[in-house]
Amino acid sequence: MSDHNHEHGEACGCGHDHDHEHEHEEFVLTLTDEQGNDVEMVLVETFDVAEKVYALLLERNNTEADGIILRLEEENEEMMLYNIEDEEEWRLVEEAYNELVSKQDEV
């Protein structure tokens, strides 16, 4: 799933999925994989690296699948997701994510 197009789900932009009235709201969006299949992804976490924001997404219906990390940018008051194509940027993001995970494991 590393090579996909960024697309917006049916969310209204408020960051909430209105179909569910849970205490913890999910932000769900749809991405397209290499085979052209739509895959529902849940935004699990965001974190900052070098003044940029990155989002960790997991497949909504397949908790065993690897998560993906995309760069989150705001354009015209809309949140857009982009693939990380620069190897140096990816290395920094991977390090920051691994550090984040190890801190959570300590709690």
Side-chain angles (χ1 to χ4, degrees):
M1 294 243 338
S2 61
D3 231 16
H4 55 268
N5 303 319
H6 60 273
E7 288 187 16
H8 291 283
E10 295 177 19
C12 63
C14 68
H16 295 115
D17 182 352
H18 293 289
D19 295 333
H20 304 289
E21 292 302 324
H22 296 243
E23 207 169 293
H24 179 71
E25 300 280 356
E26 282 185 337
F27 183 68
V28 179
L29 59 160
T30 304
L31 300 178
T32 306
D33 67 13
E34 296 94 359
Q35 289 80 37
N37 301 312
D38 286 349
V39 182
E40 281 195 332
M41 304 294 286
V42 178
L43 184 97
V44 178
E45 189 152 10
T46 58
F47 57 99
D48 297 1
V49 181
E51 297 177 22
K52 293 180 182 171
V53 180
Y54 296 88
L56 171 64
L57 303 169
L58 294 176
E59 249 183 81
R60 188 178 194 188
N61 299 319
N62 183 1
T63 53
E64 300 302 310
D66 288 339
I68 56 171
I69 297 174
L70 300 173
R71 188 172 62 250
L72 197 59
E73 292 182 11
E74 192 171 327
E75 290 180 14
N76 304 321
E77 297 183 19
E78 281 191 46
M79 297 312 284
M80 304 290 283
L81 292 166
Y82 294 98
N83 289 324
I84 301 166
E85 292 168 3
D86 180 74
E87 283 193 34
E88 179 65 19
E89 180 183 4
W90 177 252
R91 192 181 59 74
L92 291 171
V93 169
E94 202 172 30
E95 278 179 21
Y97 176 70
N98 289 337
E99 198 173 299
L100 188 75
V101 170
S102 67
K103 281 183 184 171
Q104 287 178 343
D105 288 344
E106 290 170 13
V107 176

